[in-house]
Amino acid sequence: MHPGQIVVQRGRVVEVTQRTDARPDIDLGEVALLPSLVNCHTHLEFSDLRHPLPAGDNFPAWIGAVVRYRDARQAQISDLIETGLQECFLSGTSLVGDIVTQPWLPSRLATNPTFSGETAWCEHLGPVAEPRVVAMTEVLGLTVDRFRSTVAWAEACRATDASQSARIEEIGISPHAPYSLLQPLASEFLQQLDPEVITAMHVAESQEERQWTEAGEGPFATAFERLGIPLPSQRMQINEAIDLLKRQRRSLLIHGNYLTPREMDQLAQAQNVSVVYCPRTHQHFGHAPYPWRELQSRNIRVVLGTDSLASNPDLQLWRELVTARQQHSELSATTALAAVTEQGAMALGRQHDHGSLNVGKLAYMNVVTTPAELKPVDLLEHLTTNDCQPRPLALSRLARGLSN
C-alpha cells in the first residue's frame, strides 16, 4: 500500500488506509512500515556470548560445551535473558519463542518499560514499546530423578500467573530432544499433558541424533558412557516424537534438519505442528541442505528462528530471512516475509495480536529506510535480499524525539 496511513490507539491498530486527503499527526516520510518480526526459537540465556561456540568434532561435543557454559552462569540467567530480549527488540522482533531452563521463574521477566510519560505518543505506542515472550520450560533427563526434577519445576512455572508480567504471553513446555529424554517416562508425561499447552521439541537436528535413536550407537552413546549415564534400553524414536507433538493443538518441531520423507509425510497429516528453521545455525554446523522445498510441498508450515548465540553471531531475525533466501532460490519474498511475521505468529498461537498490521492487532511495527529511487513494486524483493536493519517504530529516533 503506497502511500498509506495507519491509525493507532492505546497500542492497537484501529485503521489502515490508503487515503491521502487526511493530514497525519506524524509523517514518517519515504519509509517502509512492516509488521514487527516473530522469532519462533531461541535460547536467550546465552546472550553474553561474543562468538558462537565452535561446532567441534561432533554434535554431542558441542552440546557438552553448551551445558558447561550455561551451568557456569545460572545465577545470571535473568539478566542474560533480558539482554537477549532487548537485542531482539532493537532489531525489529516483538515476539520471541524462548526456551527457558531451571532455575528461571516467570517473576524474573518483569515488565521493564522503555519509556513512559504523558504525551500522546507514549499513550498510544507505550503498550508496544517492549517485546513479548512465549516461554517454553525445558524438560529433560536420562535418569528418573533428573527428569522428575525438571518436570516439577516446569509445572510450577506454568502454575504461576503469567499475567504478573505484561511481557509473558504464555508459558509452555519444551521436552528437549529424543536423545535427552527418559523413555517411556517422557512419553507418559507428554501423553497426559493438556493438549492446549504449546510444546516445542528439538527433533532430527543432527546425524548423530539419528545414530543414537535408531541404533543406540555413535557419539551420543560414547558421551553418555563417559558421563556414567546408564544407557536406556528404550530410546525415543523420531516418529514417536512427532506423534507426541501432533497431540498438542500447537507445537513446534525445532530444526528438522534430517527428517526423512516418511517423517515429513507423518507431519503433513496434522496442521498443528510447525517446523522451525534456523538458517545461520544450520550453516554453523555445516548441515546437509535444509529440506525447505520438501516440507513446503507437503503444506507443512516452516517458520524461522535465530537459535542462540551459542550457534549464531547475533539475534537479528531479518538476517535469517535474508540467509534463507540466499540458500533457497525457490523461496519467494512473500513466503520469506510471512515466515517471520504472520506464519510465525500462527506457529506460536498468537496470531490474534501479532504478525500483521490488521485492524485490532497490537501495533507492533518496524520502520525500514528505503532507497529513494526504489519503486514500490520492487520493495519486498529488495528488502528480503538485503540486511535492511528494521527498527521498532516505538523506539525509532522519531519516536524518542516526539516523546520528549
Side-chain angles (χ1 to χ4, degrees):
M1 181 181 292
H2 180 268
Q5 290 187 20
I6 188 165
V7 181
V8 176
Q9 290 181 0
R10 294 176 176 82
R12 291 202 179 264
V13 177
V14 298
E15 185 181 10
V16 179
T17 177
Q18 199 166 3
R19 71 185 186 190
T20 58
D21 56 333
R23 183 177 181 277
D25 295 320
I26 302 162
D27 188 344
L28 296 172
E30 290 297 315
V31 299
L33 199 59
L34 303 173
S36 293
L37 310 181
V38 179
N39 184 345
C40 284
H41 176 65
T42 189
H43 302 257
L44 296 178
E45 61 191 13
F46 297 101
S47 296
D48 63 335
L49 275 165
R50 294 181 179 274
H51 304 285
L53 297 177
D57 294 333
N58 54 61
F59 190 65
W62 180 83
I63 289 288
V66 166
V67 171
R68 290 190 294 273
Y69 193 91
R70 180 179 63 192
D71 288 350
R73 287 158 176 77
Q74 279 196 352
Q76 302 168 260
I77 186 171
S78 298
D79 291 339
L80 297 178
I81 289 174
E82 184 63 43
T83 297
L85 197 55
Q86 289 306 311
E87 179 182 345
C88 289
F89 192 51
L90 290 172
S91 59
T93 297
S94 62
L95 180 62
V96 177
D98 185 36
I99 307 297
V100 294
T101 61
Q102 257 179 320
W104 179 87
L105 292 172
S107 59
R108 296 180 182 175
L109 196 62
T111 300
N112 182 28
T114 307
F115 66 75
S116 60
E118 301 299 325
T119 68
W121 186 275
C122 293
E123 178 184 358
H124 294 302
L125 285 180
V128 291
E130 57 180 340
R132 310 288 177 96
V133 178
V134 174
M136 284 165 273
T137 51
E138 187 174 82
V139 170
L140 79 171
L142 288 172
T143 65
V144 173
D145 288 347
R146 173 64 169 151
F147 181 79
R148 287 179 174 167
S149 170
T150 59
V151 166
W153 162 77
E155 291 184 334
C157 287
R158 289 199 302 112
T160 303
D161 181 7
S163 65
Q164 64 183 278
S165 171
R167 294 196 290 177
I168 297 179
E169 291 269 331
E170 186 175 0
I171 298 176
I173 287 283
S174 178
H176 178 249
Y179 60 80
S180 60
L181 291 165
L182 186 64
Q183 182 75 326
L185 204 58
S187 291
E188 180 183 357
F189 165 71
L190 292 170
Q191 287 168 1
Q192 295 174 353
L193 189 65
D194 182 349
E196 295 298 312
V197 176
I198 187 168
T199 303
M201 187 187 297
H202 301 73
V203 178
E205 185 173 0
S206 67
Q207 292 283 31
E208 293 91 335
E209 178 186 337
R210 296 206 75 102
Q211 279 184 282
W212 167 251
T213 59
E214 293 173 3
E217 299 174 349
F220 272 114
T222 301
F224 294 152
E225 288 175 344
R226 186 175 65 251
L227 293 170
I229 298 174
L231 300 185
S233 57
Q234 289 181 272
R235 299 177 302 279
M236 181 179 290
Q237 300 301 304
I238 288 174
N239 67 307
E240 293 174 329
I242 292 172
D243 278 339
L244 291 168
L245 289 172
K246 286 169 60 179
R247 292 187 70 257
Q248 302 306 109
R249 188 168 66 85
R250 294 157 297 137
S251 58
L252 306 174
L253 188 152
I254 310 298
H255 300 302
N257 299 323
Y258 294 97
L259 290 167
T260 66
R262 178 174 293 183
E263 289 158 356
M264 287 187 269
D265 289 342
Q266 183 185 359
L267 276 171
Q269 296 170 8
Q271 297 299 308
N272 56 316
V273 184
S274 302
V275 176
V276 186
Y277 171 32
C278 303
R280 289 186 294 162
T281 287
H282 191 273
Q283 285 185 329
H284 179 69
F285 291 105
H287 290 307
Y290 192 77
W292 186 304
R293 187 192 300 269
E294 293 86 345
L295 291 164
Q296 293 246 300
S297 70
R298 292 168 170 82
N299 294 318
I300 296 168
R301 179 183 293 116
V302 181
V303 295
L304 299 184
T306 58
D307 213 328
S308 76
L309 294 188
S311 59
N312 203 330
D314 57 61
L315 299 173
Q316 298 194 33
L317 186 61
W318 195 267
R319 291 175 177 170
E320 304 297 329
L321 180 158
V322 172
T323 301
R325 292 213 67 199
Q326 291 170 345
Q327 297 295 314
H328 303 275
S329 59
E330 74 279 10
L331 182 59
S332 70
T334 301
T335 300
L337 181 64
V340 295
T341 54
E342 193 166 22
Q343 291 295 307
M346 292 178 70
L348 293 179
R350 316 311 295 177
Q351 66 272 18
H352 57 285
D353 273 342
H354 298 269
S356 69
L357 298 181
N358 291 349
V359 171
K361 294 194 179 185
L362 289 170
Y364 281 112
M365 62 188 95
N366 287 328
V367 175
V368 178
T369 302
T370 56
E373 69 279 6
L374 190 67
K375 297 178 180 178
V377 69
D378 299 323
L379 176 64
L380 194 54
E381 182 67 27
H382 170 82
L383 294 179
T384 58
T385 53
N386 289 276
D387 183 9
C388 66
Q389 297 182 333
R391 65 186 189 276
L393 176 62
L395 298 186
S396 67
R397 290 182 179 178
L398 175 62
R400 291 176 183 271
L402 288 174
S403 64
N404 288 338

